Amino acid sequence: MTAAIRSILTPTAIVRLVLGWGAFAALLFAGPLLAPPVPGPLLVTALAIIVGVILICAFGVVHEAEHLARRLGDPYGSLVLTLSIVLIEVVLIAAVLLGPGEHATIGRDSVMAVSMIILNAVIGLCLLVAGLRHGSLAHNRTGVSTYLSLIIVFAALAFALPALIGTNGSYEAWQEIPIIVITIGIYAFFLFRQMGAQAADFYEVDPRVTKSAEVASTTGAEVAPESVSAAVETAPKQGIVEIISTHRTEIIVRLALLIATVTPIVLLSHDMASLLDDGLGRLGAPVALSGVVIALIVFLPETITSLRAAWNGEIQRVSNLCHGAQVSTVGLTIPTVLLIGLITDQPIVLAESSANLLLLGVTLLLSVTAFAAKRVTAVHGAAHLVVFAIFGITLFS
């Protein structure tokens, strides 16, 4: 057992932890020095160091996530990474809401930025990379349809309905309770089905991936590393309970290390918010751009993991990571901010602008159209990237 732990807690992993948490501690102690307005050279240096540390930690998170994915198989492996990042993000949003000041739109702005990044930028880039390298790729349409069904419902509840039945973009107090219950209820039911009876709906189905899986799992033949990864994910011989029982120590240690490595990423990205606002303000950039940049940094580990899956042709894993992250982000964030609003008696503005609602509607329609096909292509990815580019234009309009 000790040897197994030592093989996971390598010197590189420890260095990543020390760098991540050390940078966070340094920011806490240097707080007065970094209070806006910060001198230009110090501002650039601090941002460069923070981004550098985040990148180092991000690769550590990806390393542990891929080990867990190979051990647990999808959708469980992808779910571990997704929930780790999303839960920490939700906790931080809750901390801001419970702190001093008015933050009525933080939930809406954060979720909208994440939605555009995940559904257009990350998925678009993944489909483009996978399509150019492997051609058209088959995905598990039942699983993707399940994700998109929840994404559509959650988007309507979060961004559109408050403008129609609420007041000033916020739900009435008596409306918030049923919305919270409904959202948590359907999200919990989704997780229950995804990890149980419908787990097979989230396995890889592309013949090129499944054929490699069969070769690796039945003949023991030498295959490419990416095919071995796909083999473990798509054709597990053991049930998830048996896997956890057999490899309990490894799974617990890797999960703890993943969370300990991803937490500084989220903390540092939010600590750098004031620095980023200061820098972008001097450049005359829109305030909303800061939220998009921070959301990109928070979901950097998931983005890297998704791109590596796309490079390997594992398009269903891309969906499990990206669509799963979108479902979890909205399914956890909206009930949390509404509940805090009820408890603290502060307004929670969720209704989006007409321009953002239009872009979100186009994104959802494009997602349904692309993934309703038997195979996704590079052109689908390019279309998603165009929508994200238009979202960028609206930030400056």
Side-chain angles (χ1 to χ4, degrees):
M1 182 179 295
T2 304
I5 294 176
R6 277 202 298 265
S7 68
I8 298 171
L9 295 175
T10 61
T12 303
I14 293 173
V15 167
R16 288 191 182 108
L17 286 175
V18 171
L19 279 175
W21 288 103
F24 175 63
L27 276 179
L28 289 179
F29 285 110
L33 296 175
L34 297 177
V38 183
L42 180 59
L43 176 66
V44 173
T45 302
L47 285 174
I49 292 174
I50 292 172
V51 172
V53 171
I54 286 175
L55 285 171
I56 292 171
C57 291
F59 283 106
V61 172
V62 171
H63 176 77
E64 300 307 323
E66 290 185 339
H67 274 283
L68 283 169
R70 286 196 293 270
R71 176 63 69 197
L72 297 173
D74 262 347
Y76 313 106
S78 299
L79 190 61
V80 167
L81 175 60
T82 296
L83 287 180
S84 299
I85 295 173
V86 171
L87 282 171
I88 295 171
E89 176 69 8
V90 170
V91 169
L92 286 170
I93 292 174
V96 173
L97 279 173
L98 292 170
E102 292 291 332
H103 307 283
T105 64
I106 184 173
R108 180 197 69 186
D109 296 342
S110 299
V111 174
M112 186 63 191
V114 168
S115 299
M116 290 294 104
I117 290 167
I118 293 176
L119 296 180
N120 286 316
V122 181
I123 285 184
L125 195 56
C126 287
L127 295 185
L128 183 64
V129 168
L132 291 176
R133 187 163 193 255
H134 301 280
S136 59
L137 287 159
H139 55 283
N140 198 324
R141 288 196 286 178
T142 303
V144 178
S145 175
T146 302
Y147 285 130
L148 292 178
S149 297
L150 287 180
I151 289 172
I152 291 170
V153 171
F154 284 166
L157 291 178
F159 300 123
L161 196 58
L164 300 176
I165 67 172
T167 303
N168 297 324
S170 302
Y171 281 117
E172 300 285 352
W174 67 270
Q175 297 168 337
E176 292 179 345
I177 295 176
I179 294 296
I180 292 171
V181 172
I182 290 171
T183 304
I184 293 177
I186 188 63
Y187 179 67
F189 181 64
F190 160 72
L191 289 182
F192 172 74
R193 296 291 296 180
Q194 185 188 34
M195 293 187 291
Q198 290 185 235
D201 293 341
F202 304 91
Y203 291 170
E204 298 286 350
V205 294
D206 192 282
R208 287 164 290 188
V209 177
T210 55
K211 185 176 180 180
S212 298
E214 291 174 8
V215 171
S217 61
T218 60
T219 69
E222 285 292 324
V223 291
E226 57 266 26
S227 297
V228 174
S229 172
V232 179
E233 292 176 10
T234 59
K237 289 187 175 181
Q238 296 175 297
I240 186 63
V241 175
E242 189 177 354
I243 292 174
I244 294 174
S245 177
T246 305
H247 305 282
R248 184 185 297 108
T249 301
E250 177 193 352
I251 292 171
I252 291 174
V253 174
R254 287 200 183 279
L255 180 59
L257 182 58
L258 185 149
I259 294 173
T261 310
V262 79
T263 303
I265 294 176
V266 184
L267 294 174
L268 286 171
S269 68
H270 282 266
D271 280 345
M272 68 179 277
S274 59
L275 295 175
L276 199 57
D277 287 340
D278 189 12
L280 292 175
R282 297 181 192 183
L283 295 174
V287 177
L289 184 61
S290 173
V292 174
V293 173
I294 291 172
L296 278 169
I297 293 173
V298 169
F299 283 88
L300 181 61
E302 194 140 15
T303 301
I304 296 172
T305 307
S306 299
L307 285 172
R308 292 183 68 163
W311 183 259
N312 294 337
E314 302 166 46
I315 205 65
Q316 184 57 42
R317 187 164 187 231
V318 170
S319 175
N320 291 343
L321 286 163
C322 297
H323 292 136
Q326 176 66 16
V327 170
S328 296
T329 298
V330 186
L332 292 173
T333 302
I334 299 306
T336 300
V337 298
L338 288 178
L339 187 59
I340 291 174
L342 281 173
I343 295 172
T344 60
D345 196 27
Q346 60 178 308
I348 301 296
V349 178
L350 293 177
E352 264 293 357
S353 66
S354 299
N356 280 344
L357 282 177
L358 173 62
L359 285 177
L360 185 60
V362 171
T363 299
L364 296 176
L365 181 60
L366 178 58
S367 298
V368 171
T369 303
F371 286 93
K374 291 183 179 180
R375 292 176 175 272
V376 287
T377 68
V379 176
H380 290 129
H384 275 287
L385 290 174
V386 167
V387 177
F388 185 72
I390 296 172
F391 173 66
I393 293 173
T394 64
L395 290 178
F396 291 88
S397 299

